[in-house]
Amino acid sequence: MPLIKVPQNPDPPMRPPPSGDSIPSDLDFSWELNTSIHHKIRLFLLLAPGSLVFLLTLIIMNWASPKQHIYLALGGFSLTLWAILKGGNLVKIYDKRYKKKRLDELNS
């Protein structure tokens, strides 16, 4: 059986720093967005629309007749899932604006 040589360097390979004063536009700030308060803001933006639709469905079911509860529950469930998917778009917008703000800070 042939032997496989595994490199023994414990440090991960590093990218060379950008040359000169140019800052690449594809800088990745996702590690900042996944830590601290940004993670909580992103989670809120993702789940808030769905939670609001869910609560409104429960309130409407309180006043509806029992015969309509199954239709309201199914409709509320599908609208809740749709709102959570649209919350994902809110997270993308937040990420894009945050990255633009950070790039502007680095360029100034």
Side-chain angles (χ1 to χ4, degrees):
M1 181 182 239
L3 294 176
I4 299 174
K5 293 185 179 181
V6 179
Q8 298 298 322
N9 189 359
D11 297 329
M14 302 266 310
R15 287 190 306 181
S19 61
D21 292 282
S22 65
I23 296 175
S25 62
D26 62 342
L27 284 177
D28 187 22
F29 296 108
S30 60
W31 63 273
E32 287 182 14
L33 291 169
N34 291 329
T35 58
S36 70
I37 191 70
H38 299 292
H39 178 70
K40 293 176 185 174
I41 292 171
R42 293 171 78 214
L43 188 62
F44 176 77
L45 288 174
L46 178 66
L47 297 178
S51 300
L52 183 64
V53 170
F54 179 74
L55 288 175
L56 289 175
T57 302
L58 291 179
I59 290 170
I60 291 170
M61 285 178 73
N62 188 29
W63 290 312
S65 68
K67 292 180 182 179
Q68 296 175 343
H69 281 189
I70 187 70
Y71 300 114
L72 288 172
L74 291 174
F77 177 73
S78 57
L79 282 175
T80 300
L81 289 179
W82 179 80
I84 290 173
L85 289 174
K86 290 302 170 185
N89 292 343
L90 292 175
V91 171
K92 288 179 189 175
I93 292 169
Y94 175 77
D95 289 351
K96 186 186 295 183
R97 287 184 180 174
Y98 180 78
K99 289 176 183 179
K100 183 178 182 213
K101 183 181 103 175
R102 288 290 287 141
L103 282 174
D104 289 343
E105 287 175 5
L106 288 174
N107 287 334
S108 62

